[in-house]
Amino acid sequence: GIVGTGCIGQEHLRNIFVQMSKQQQSRRTSSPNHSSPLISLTAIADPYAPSREAAMEILDVERARIEALQVSSFATHTELFQACQEDNLCNCLIICTPNF
C-alpha cells in the first residue's frame, strides 16, 4: 500500500506498475510455478482528495496493461491500517507523506 499520493507517491505508483508489468510479462514466458506476484499494489491512502483522485487516474490507465489490478482507496492512513489488520489487505506500506 501507499500512504500519501502526492507527487512522490504518484511516482512510486508508476514505478510499482513498471515492476508489475515486467512480472506479468515474465510469468507469461516462464513456468507455471512462478504464478504468484512478487510485488502488487492493493491500497492507497491520502486525506487530500485531489491527490487521491490523481492517483486513481493513474490506476485507471494502468488497468489496461496489468491484469487483475484492484486497488482500494482510503481517505486516511488509519482506515488503511485498519483494513491491513482486519482484512489482510497489504503486508507492506510505502510512506510518501511530507517530512514536515
Side-chain angles (χ1 to χ4, degrees):
I2 295 181
V3 177
T5 56
C7 293
I8 299 300
Q10 291 173 30
E11 186 62 28
H12 282 294
L13 278 174
R14 290 182 190 95
N15 291 332
I16 288 170
F17 293 136
V18 166
Q19 293 304 312
M20 289 174 70
S21 182
K22 286 180 181 180
Q23 281 179 181
Q24 185 172 290
Q25 291 171 353
S26 176
R27 273 188 273 152
R28 289 181 182 147
T29 59
S30 66
S31 69
N33 295 336
H34 297 95
S35 61
S36 62
L38 299 174
I39 186 172
S40 63
L41 181 70
T42 58
I44 62 169
D46 197 305
Y48 187 59
S51 291
R52 210 170 47 248
E53 290 164 7
M56 293 307 285
E57 288 176 15
I58 294 169
L59 292 168
D60 289 340
V61 169
E62 295 300 328
R63 280 190 179 98
R65 291 188 323 145
I66 300 172
E67 298 170 1
L69 180 61
Q70 295 182 353
V71 179
S72 299
S73 177
F74 299 93
T76 68
H77 68 282
T78 53
E79 292 173 358
L80 172 57
F81 294 166
Q82 185 174 3
C84 288
Q85 289 179 330
E86 292 175 0
D87 304 330
N88 200 26
L89 184 62
C90 54
N91 58 12
C92 178
L93 294 172
I94 300 171
I95 308 299
C96 301
T97 57
N99 59 357
F100 52 83

